């Protein structure tokens, strides 16, 4: 029996040594992996947006305005450089992830084998009845080894966990993020996949692109991307003769879809997507229809932000709207990758073209006695929000630019004006992008890049609803009081005494926006008298014609015709000359209409009180 006990003790001692050796090897391996990771981590990857070569390419791209071949060559080099940088960087990140898991594995092996060796050591005395003294060297060595391994394991575990969970890239993760660095570039298609609040963008190849891929930049410029079209002037970029239509018989109606929620915003169109929003006091929704056949592609419920969650500084007001404004008055906007919507509650939300919410910003309920109605506008990579509210005594208004991709505020400029309902206009003038806003009493121009005020003109009084338009260096604004004004662009400070070209005071709209047709400007007040003025001189009206309806929908120019839609749903298609106007077609939607139409692809999209109509040949 004694011999057997001796043999068993010797076997256990051999196992102890083997497990202790494995533990030490695993510890050494973990140390080597940790050292390599530290060295690799110390070599930082530079953000490609600030590398000299990429900055040089950016400048070259902007300089080659008229040479499309050169621009395409530069774009290709940018894409190649971006791909090489991302491949190298993601390889490095993958190495860090693999190394971190190797560290964890080595630590687990080291700890488990050391623990096993310690257990065997306690079970392997030479004589079973003998008791090892407390200060036995073998016991002390075992305890010190186990303590060191466990301490090292905890440190490595924390370090590797930090490597795994601190996986943040400094590079553009896709072509869309690269496009944000180079606004003029067209980096190619991407597919957007999003959760409820966070956006994840994955680059795709041509073989993975589905029917939801969005138009390219040059195609996007031909869409109806905002209130009154891509340029905000109510002029369609395509020329066609709208067909005669009759809602009752279906003649000339390509499709007609019933709307679930009310809303006075106008539809926008991007590719085969027609988008609009609807809302009540306790519900908000965005709808996307197929432009080709009216099929409902998707609808997304937009949660209402609680007042205590709002990000704005002012105290939330009690929400007040009237019937002609409603809870969904602002027209949506799109940059071709995302769609943006705003409601009377003061919330701005971005969605992708599959209806997924990407981000939401809340600016608290506006202090607006009619309800917020100014529509959203996109300027390249930033979303422009004109949030005019409050009173003249205590103005709370501001003009903001939000990052289209993230929703973060790029700049915010306070405005010393009360509540207004006019939509801002984005124009190019004097080699820079400017944003024109209208409110009582100021027409103000801001630099789009930083929100700095450029000039202002005292030209508007009382409640301001009509939106501005511009052509050939002249801005045209209108409001029932004091009237219409033509303002020469440029200057600085208060240009009221130096840049006003002319003023008119008859037949001026209080809600609809003016329309430029040839050398005339058309004004359509709510009471329905269409009035024409000479664009160069203003002066007395060239002519005025009464239409048997009241109007909230702004006139729209299509080819050689002007489309008018009355509140009761009556529709007129007219031609205008300096001598007068002639009705070409008259119809009736059969329901009220307060929204302005959208025009795209040889079709007209009209939002009525209960239905969305598509007018066009089948």
């Amino acid at each position: 029996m004694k011999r057997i006990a001796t043999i068993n003790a010797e076997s256990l001692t051999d196992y102890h040594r083997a497990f202790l050796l494995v533990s030490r090897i695993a510890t050494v391996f973990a140390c080597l992996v940790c050292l390599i990771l530290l060295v690799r981590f110390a070599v930082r990857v530079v953000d490609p947006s600030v590398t000299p070569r990429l900055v040089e390419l950016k400048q070259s791209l902007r300089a080659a305005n008229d040479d499309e071949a050169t621009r395409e060559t530069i774009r290709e080099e940018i894409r190649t450089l971006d791909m090489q940088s991302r491949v190298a960087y993601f390889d490095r990140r993958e190495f860090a992830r693999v190394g971190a898991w190797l560290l964890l594995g080595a630590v687990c092996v080291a700890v488990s084998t050391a623990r096993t060796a310690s257990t065997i050591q306690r079970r392997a005395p030479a004589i079973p009845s003998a008791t090892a003294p407390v200060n036995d060297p073998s016991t002390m060595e075992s305890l010190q080894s186990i303590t060191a391994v466990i301490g090292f394991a905890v440190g490595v575990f924390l370090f590797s966990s930090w490597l795994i969970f601190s996986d943040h890239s400094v590079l553009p993760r896709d072509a869309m993020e690269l496009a944000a660095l180079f606004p003029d570039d067209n980096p190619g298609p991407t597919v957007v996949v999003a959760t409820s609040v966070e956006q994840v963008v994955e680059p795709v190849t041509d073989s993975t692109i589905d029917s939801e891929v969005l138009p390219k930049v040059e195609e996007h410029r031909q869409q109806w991307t905002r209130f009154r079209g891509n340029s905000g002037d109510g002029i369609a970029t395509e020329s066609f003769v709208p067909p005669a239509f009759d809602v009752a018989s279906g003649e000339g109606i390509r499709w007609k879809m019933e709307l679930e929620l009310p809303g006075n915003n106008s539809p926008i169109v991007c590719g085969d997507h027609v988008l609009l929003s609807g809302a009540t006091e306790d519900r908000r929704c965005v709808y996307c229809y197929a432009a080709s056949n009216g099929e409902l592609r998707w609808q997304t419920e937009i949660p209402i932000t609680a007042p205590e969650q709002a990000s704005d500084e002012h105290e939330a007001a009690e929400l007040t709207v009237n019937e002609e404004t409603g809870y969904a008055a602002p027209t949506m906007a799109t940059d071709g990758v995302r769609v943006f919507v705003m409601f009377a509650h003061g919330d701005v939300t971005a969605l992708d073209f599959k209806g997924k919410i990407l981000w939401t910003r809340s600016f608290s309920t506006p202090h607006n006695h009619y309800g917020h109605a100014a529509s959203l506008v996109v300027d390249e990579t930033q979303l422009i929000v004109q949030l005019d509210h409050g009173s003249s005594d205590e103005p709370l208004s501001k003009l903001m630019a939000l990052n289209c991709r993230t929703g973060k505020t790029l700049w915010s400029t306070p405005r010393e004006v009360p509540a207004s309902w006019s939509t801002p206009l984005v124009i190019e003038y004097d080699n820079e992008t400017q944003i024109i806003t209208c409110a009582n009493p100021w027409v103000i121009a801001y630099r789009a890049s930083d929100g700095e005020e450029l000039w202002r003109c005292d030209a508007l009084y009382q409640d301001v609803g009509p939106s501005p338009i511009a052509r050939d260096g002249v801005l045209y604004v209108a409001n029932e009081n004091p009237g219409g004004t033509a303002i020469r662009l440029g200057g600085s400070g208060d240009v009221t005494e130096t840049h006003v070209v002319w003023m008119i005071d008859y037949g001026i709209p209080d809600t609809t926006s003016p329309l430029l047709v040839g050398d005339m400007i058309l004004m359509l007040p709510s009471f329905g008298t269409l009035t024409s003025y000479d664009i160069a001189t203003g002066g007395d009206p060239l002519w005025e014609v009464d239409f048997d309806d009241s109007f909230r929908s702004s006139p729209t120019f299509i080819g050689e015709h002007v489309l008018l839609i009355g509140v009761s749903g009556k529709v007129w298609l007219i031609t205008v000359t300096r001598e007068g106007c002639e009705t070409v077609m008259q119809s009736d939607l059969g329901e009220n209409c307060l929204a302005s139409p959208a025009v795209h692809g040889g079709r007209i999209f009209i939002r009525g009180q209960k239905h969305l109509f598509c007018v066009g040949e089948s």
Side-chain angles (χ1 to χ4, degrees), residues 512-533:
T512 69
S513 301
L515 177 69
L516 295 172
V517 179
D519 58 358
M520 298 173 291
I521 183 169
L522 303 183
M523 304 282 188
L524 182 63
S526 298
F527 52 80
T529 299
L530 182 65
T531 307
S532 172
Y533 287 91

Side-chain angles (χ1 to χ4, degrees), residues 31-41 95:
C31 290
L32 291 175
V33 174
C34 184
L35 180 62
I36 293 173
L37 285 175
L38 286 172
V39 172
R40 296 270 296 186
F41 189 77
F95 178 86

Side-chain angles (χ1 to χ4, degrees), residues 8-23:
N8 287 339
E10 291 176 352
S11 299
L12 290 174
T13 301
D14 290 340
Y15 281 123
H16 163 72
R17 291 173 179 171
F19 278 104
L20 192 59
L21 178 61
V22 172
S23 176

Side-chain angles (χ1 to χ4, degrees), residues 9 43 66 97 144 147 204 308 387 407 422 438 445 524 551 564 581:
V43 181
D66 301 325
R97 281 192 292 268
Q144 291 172 357
T147 303
V204 297
E308 60 270 16
L387 188 60
S422 175
C438 293
L524 182 63
F551 290 84
L564 306 177
C581 71

Side-chain angles (χ1 to χ4, degrees), residues 331-525:
T331 296
M332 298 176 62
T334 177
D335 62 356
V337 177
R338 293 155 289 261
V339 293
F340 308 96
V341 61
M342 188 172 187
F343 297 95
H345 303 77
D347 293 350
V348 179
T349 299
L351 306 92
D352 67 13
F353 270 81
K354 293 185 179 180
K356 300 295 184 180
I357 295 177
L358 304 178
W359 54 259
T360 294
R361 290 288 306 275
S362 177
F363 300 101
S364 293
T365 304
H367 294 247
N368 194 315
H369 49 286
Y370 293 129
H372 181 73
S375 299
L376 300 171
V377 176
V378 172
D379 170 39
E380 295 187 345
T381 60
Q382 58 185 11
L383 179 68
I384 307 301
V385 182
Q386 182 176 336
L387 188 60
D388 287 350
H389 63 135
S391 63
S392 300
D393 297 332
E394 188 180 4
L396 302 171
S397 305
K398 58 184 175 181
L399 183 70
M400 295 174 290
L402 308 181
N403 184 295
C404 286
R405 187 177 63 84
T406 65
K408 293 182 179 180
T409 300
L410 299 175
W411 52 259
S412 179
T413 302
R415 288 167 49 77
E416 298 177 357
V417 297
S420 76
W421 300 263
S422 175
T423 297
L425 178 69
V426 178
I427 63 171
E428 295 292 331
Y429 181 76
D430 198 20
N431 297 320
E432 67 178 354
T433 304
Q434 300 182 7
I435 303 170
I436 310 296
T437 63
C438 293
N440 177 20
W442 299 106
V443 179
I444 306 178
Y446 299 89
R447 183 181 294 111
S449 59
D450 56 13
E452 180 181 352
E453 181 178 320
L454 299 174
W455 56 263
R456 60 173 58 195
C457 181
D458 188 341
L460 302 167
Y461 303 145
Q462 297 182 352
D463 295 337
V464 178
S467 300
I469 54 176
R471 182 199 289 175
D472 298 333
V474 179
L475 178 73
Y476 303 91
V477 299
N479 198 52
E480 184 179 23
N481 188 10
T485 306
I487 307 168
R488 189 171 66 254
L489 294 172
S492 61
D494 188 344
V495 300
T496 307
E497 300 298 327
T498 58
H499 284 61
V500 172
V501 180
W502 50 253
M503 297 184 67
I504 54 178
D505 59 4
Y506 180 79
I508 310 303
D510 57 339
T511 303
T512 69
S513 301
L515 177 69
L516 295 172
V517 179
D519 58 358
M520 298 173 291
I521 183 169
L522 303 183
M523 304 282 188
L524 182 63

Side-chain angles (χ1 to χ4, degrees), residues 29-30 33-34 36-38 92-108 153 156-167:
F29 177 77
V33 174
C34 184
I36 293 173
L37 285 175
L38 286 172
R92 172 180 174 274
R93 293 167 65 191
E94 182 64 23
F95 178 86
R97 281 192 292 268
V98 173
W101 289 115
L102 285 176
L103 268 179
L104 289 178
V107 167
C108 290
V156 170
F157 176 80
L158 294 176
F159 174 70
S160 57
S161 299
W162 175 74
L163 284 178
I164 293 172
F165 294 107
S166 64
D167 183 26

Side-chain angles (χ1 to χ4, degrees), residues 307-328:
E308 60 270 16
Q309 296 176 322
S311 61
D312 202 12
E313 298 177 355
H314 74 270
E315 181 181 353
E318 181 180 353
L319 183 58
T320 303
V321 302
N322 66 6
E323 184 178 355
E324 292 185 357
T325 304
Y327 295 92

